[in-house]
Amino acid sequence: MDLTIGTIWLFLAQLFIIATILSKIATRERTRTTSTKFSRPPPPPMARGAPLVGVLPSLLAKGPVAFIRHHYEKMGSVFTVSLLQQKVTFLVGSEAASHFYKGLDSEISQDEVSQFTIPTFGPGVAFDVDYATRHEQFRFFGDIMKPAKLRTYVDLMVAEVESGTVNMKQEFEQLVTLIASRCLLGEEVRDKMFDEVSTLLRELNDGMRLVTILFPRLPIPAHRRRDMARARLGEIFSDIVRSRRGSSVGGGGGAPHDDMLQCLIDARYKDGRATTETEVAGMLVAALFAGQHTSSSTSTWTGARLLTNPDHLRAAVEEQARLLRRHGGDRVDHRCVKETLRLHPPALMLLRHARRSFVVRSEDSGGGEREYEVPEGHTVASPLLLHNALPRVYRDPGEFDPGRFGAGREEGAGGLAYTAFGGGRHACVGEAFAYMQIKVIWSHLLRNFELQLVSPFPETDWTVIMPGPKGKVMVTYNRRKLT
């Protein structure tokens, strides 16, 4: 009987030990499954850099374009670099950059990375105000850029272009400034004042250096000239706003004004408050600064590309001849400008600040896909030059081929594959105005002149935030009249 009881107890003890082991294995498996289920994706791969300065030596040695392209080819479409203790995560391609363009401002914001623009745009506008106020100011611009309003500017643009001269870079800059100034300010900016405004805007653009992003008030000569130019522009535009408001109140007579300036003066915030003199002056500076450089550079690049690609130049000229006889059709000139902007975007990259961490899907350097979590606090960058030149989206992306946007090909159509004017929640409100302005200029030139580029194809000036052609871009021309 004792042996029987001992055997039973031994058997039960063995069962207990086995059950305990199985329980521990099951618990460990559940823990591993739960951990896998709720684990967070890893952060993006980090580029190696030196202590304190990070990748700065490599960036200075390679230049920004080669630097970004090198890390993209090595690490894939999502990667992080450390630059002077700041983590910058690059997102390349429409899938990786989806949250960059579509995310809420409470999650991924422009504010923190755009403070460097305040000395240029001035107080009371853009990134010197809270998001709600800035959103309403963008609404003011959206109202004056609606198609019905834009059509009223066409005759004015044509008149200014037809009275101008042809010499490419500097003339484009002056012509674009004149057109934008006339559309914004009506007759108030003319002759001597226009020349001064054009020079001051050039000083503003020159004051937007790469170092400005990190140190916007660094006491360098370019910043001092920028500050003096901004102060003088503020005086000029404030005087114009004051005079316009005075004439309206005093009933100065004459036809009522119907230009952009009057729209900004008449604009009202949602609480009923009118725009102030300082706000209107600041919005005029911001609009002219953004439009003048982008349109003049794109006009120059468009000319340089057309004049070095005879087939596309011939197609554009033939189209102008057809348009003189009838309207309509798939516009070659629009595709030429769009292709120019793809190859020469008005900014090297767009920036955001990650207020919250978020997950992105990446195509790695081996062609596989995986997810990464971009940590809160990172600066996030969308490099336009790479984004708009991905071989999986654009055939022969380095070639100037306006036909890629034509019927039957339509490369980059839909989604965020083409971002020369931004996209998503912060698409540029001036896109339609810019296209119209540039097409008016080149329609007139192609109809009335035979042009030939006599200087080398220009390099890009990457020393400024809004890169453009470096040096002079010279052409010879003979007058002609298309029939």
Side-chain angles (χ1 to χ4, degrees):
M1 177 66 72
D2 291 340
L3 181 60
T4 303
I5 293 174
T7 303
I8 292 173
W9 277 109
L10 179 62
F11 177 71
L12 291 174
Q14 290 173 338
L15 284 178
F16 176 77
I17 292 172
I18 292 172
T20 301
I21 293 173
L22 290 175
S23 175
K24 288 185 176 181
I25 292 173
T27 300
R28 188 181 301 118
E29 187 62 30
R30 282 196 303 271
T31 302
R32 183 164 51 199
T33 302
T34 302
S35 175
T36 301
K37 182 177 180 180
F38 294 103
S39 64
R40 305 171 76 166
M46 172 76 75
R48 293 181 178 180
L52 298 179
V53 296
V55 297
L56 183 60
S58 176
L59 175 61
L60 295 175
K62 295 177 180 291
V65 177
F67 171 84
I68 297 170
R69 193 182 302 278
H70 167 76
H71 284 88
Y72 165 67
E73 293 172 351
K74 180 179 178 182
M75 306 175 75
S77 58
V78 179
F79 59 91
T80 298
V81 303
S82 179
L83 181 62
L84 298 176
Q85 302 296 298
Q86 176 61 49
K87 300 296 190 296
V88 183
T89 296
F90 288 85
L91 307 177
V92 182
S94 57
E95 185 174 15
S98 177
H99 191 69
F100 180 96
Y101 290 101
K102 297 180 179 179
L104 298 174
D105 279 75
S106 59
E107 301 171 348
I108 184 164
S109 167
Q110 292 179 305
D111 287 42
E112 292 84 348
V113 294
S114 301
Q115 296 299 298
F116 70 91
T117 65
I118 293 176
T120 299
F121 296 156
V125 297
F127 297 97
D128 188 51
V129 298
D130 60 83
Y131 172 75
T133 303
R134 183 168 67 252
H135 184 71
E136 290 203 61
Q137 291 174 350
F138 286 163
R139 175 174 60 82
F140 301 157
F141 281 115
D143 290 342
I144 62 181
M145 295 293 178
K146 289 179 178 178
K149 191 69 176 176
L150 288 178
R151 283 193 288 271
T152 67
Y153 307 137
V154 173
D155 290 342
L156 184 152
M157 289 183 177
V158 172
E160 295 298 342
V161 170
E162 289 180 347
S163 65
T165 58
V166 181
N167 265 337
M168 286 292 265
K169 187 179 177 183
Q170 188 170 358
E171 271 71 11
F172 277 143
E173 184 178 285
Q174 292 177 337
L175 184 56
V176 165
T177 305
L178 177 58
I179 292 173
S181 298
R182 288 277 284 109
C183 291
L184 277 168
L185 299 162
E187 295 289 343
E188 269 83 351
V189 175
R190 299 296 290 173
D191 304 329
K192 184 177 180 181
M193 185 185 292
F194 160 73
D195 292 335
E196 183 180 10
V197 168
S198 182
T199 300
L200 294 171
L201 287 171
R202 195 176 307 121
E203 294 287 4
L204 280 189
N205 181 63
D206 188 60
M208 277 271 197
R209 304 300 182 92
L210 293 179
V211 70
T212 308
I213 298 177
L214 298 175
F215 308 106
R217 300 190 185 275
L218 191 69
I220 59 176
H223 286 173
R224 285 194 287 269
R225 292 192 299 270
R226 172 203 66 193
D227 294 343
M228 289 188 291
R230 177 58 182 83
R232 178 58 185 146
L233 281 171
E235 293 174 359
I236 293 173
F237 292 159
S238 292
D239 288 343
I240 291 173
V241 174
R242 197 178 306 117
S243 174
R244 176 72 69 87
R245 277 184 164 151
S247 65
S248 299
V249 173
H257 295 285
D258 189 32
D259 50 30
M260 294 184 183
L261 170 61
Q262 195 62 44
C263 292
L264 294 177
I265 290 175
D266 294 339
R268 294 293 183 271
Y269 291 94
K270 289 182 179 179
D271 61 4
R273 179 175 69 85
T275 52
T276 67
E277 184 180 293
T278 299
E279 288 173 337
V280 174
M283 285 187 279
L284 291 173
V285 170
L288 283 171
F289 173 83
Q292 180 252 20
H293 176 79
T294 301
S295 294
S296 62
S297 290
T298 303
S299 296
T300 305
W301 284 123
T302 299
R305 286 290 180 178
L306 283 174
L307 297 180
T308 52
N309 288 271
D311 290 344
H312 297 301
L313 175 62
R314 188 180 307 110
V317 172
E318 290 173 354
E319 177 193 62
Q320 291 302 314
R322 291 195 303 272
L323 289 173
L324 288 173
R325 297 189 294 271
R326 60 178 176 81
H327 294 283
D330 185 18
R331 293 293 297 269
V332 173
D333 58 353
H334 185 90
R335 299 201 303 267
C336 288
V337 176
K338 186 173 183 177
E339 175 71 342
T340 297
L341 283 162
R342 185 187 69 82
L343 292 167
H344 307 283
L348 172 61
M349 67 184 76
L350 301 178
L351 299 175
R352 302 283 191 270
H353 174 79
R355 289 181 169 175
R356 298 179 186 174
S357 61
F358 61 93
V359 176
V360 298
R361 185 177 296 276
S362 163
E363 180 179 302
D364 61 31
S365 56
E369 288 191 355
R370 63 176 304 173
E371 290 185 339
Y372 296 108
E373 183 176 57
V374 179
E376 174 185 342
H378 276 211
T379 295
V380 189
S382 174
L384 301 184
L385 201 63
L386 265 65
H387 188 105
N388 293 334
L390 296 175
R392 64 176 180 269
V393 178
Y394 299 101
R395 188 177 69 194
D396 298 325
E399 297 297 319
F400 179 75
D401 181 10
R404 71 175 76 249
F405 298 116
R409 290 179 62 181
E410 297 159 340
E411 296 176 17
L416 294 167
Y418 182 88
T419 54
F421 284 95
R425 293 179 177 273
H426 299 287
C428 177
V429 297
E431 178 178 355
F433 183 88
Y435 270 120
M436 185 170 70
Q437 188 179 33
I438 296 166
K439 289 192 293 185
V440 166
I441 291 172
W442 272 103
S443 292
H444 173 76
L445 295 181
L446 293 175
R447 292 180 186 189
N448 293 280
F449 298 95
E450 293 179 356
L451 303 166
Q452 182 177 359
L453 184 68
V454 294
S455 59
F457 189 86
E459 298 180 358
T460 302
D461 182 4
W462 297 112
T463 64
V464 292
I465 293 175
M466 300 172 70
K470 181 188 292 185
K472 295 182 178 180
V473 185
M474 304 299 294
V475 301
T476 58
Y477 61 91
N478 292 308
R479 286 191 174 274
R480 71 170 168 203
K481 198 71 173 180
L482 288 179
T483 58

